[in-house]
Amino acid sequence: MPRAIKAGLVAAAFATAAPFAALQAQEPFFSVATDDEVGRYIVGPGGRPVYMFDTGARGGDYLPPLESCLARCREAWPPVFVDAETNLVVPDDLDSQLTGMVPESEGERLVASYNGYPLFYYAREDESEGPSGHGIHTHGGWWITIAPDGEPIRTGTIPQSND
């Protein structure tokens, strides 16, 4: 059964049967996919791969991800924006405690996060593709898929973070 992080909706779901049935019927916001290179990784709505941006590894600019990835970067790597009412439902193989939202650097919008990492899409791929953005170094850091346990998947030449 999918789990949600919004406590108000969970409490309401237990208060009456109708909201609980609606909660069960919701599509998970995050789910898990598998790729030969990276193994199991998190995907967002529609099965599209999501990435964390490691700016604290070799060749990074050491800025927070949402400050490092601005205008030109966001054309290639748009954040996974959500609104305050978004219900980040996850399937049983993901940890709902790791799911959340972080304010954009200017605090105007919210970005979906997993294990505290703000999440981004790669504009050059869609849900029918595997994580082709995994391991790219650009815009001040490394773009990395995230495992269901919340850890970055460091394959190939992706260095460990210095944070």
Side-chain angles (χ1 to χ4, degrees), residues 67-150:
E67 290 178 28
S68 184
C69 186
L70 297 174
R72 285 192 56 215
C73 173
R74 289 184 182 200
E75 290 175 17
W77 300 94
V80 180
F81 287 115
V82 293
D83 62 45
E85 300 304 311
T86 301
N87 193 13
L88 300 178
V89 176
V90 298
D92 288 337
D93 53 353
L94 290 176
D95 186 346
S96 63
Q97 298 300 312
L98 296 179
T99 333
M101 301 176 202
V102 294
E104 188 179 22
S105 56
E106 293 153 12
E108 295 177 11
R109 296 187 278 183
L110 296 172
V111 176
S113 68
Y114 196 77
N115 198 19
Y117 301 116
L119 300 176
F120 299 82
Y121 292 119
Y122 184 36
R124 295 184 182 168
E125 68 188 7
D126 60 34
E127 66 276 356
S128 65
E129 299 180 57
S132 61
H134 179 77
I136 292 177
H137 182 270
T138 186
H139 300 288
W142 294 86
W143 299 93
I144 306 170
T145 53
I146 303 172
D149 67 1

Side-chain angles (χ1 to χ4, degrees), residues 28-32 41-50 80 119 121 127:
F29 188 88
F30 294 118
S31 54
V32 177
Y41 64 97
I42 297 173
V43 296
R48 220 172 146 190
V50 294
V80 180
L119 300 176
Y121 292 119
E127 66 276 356

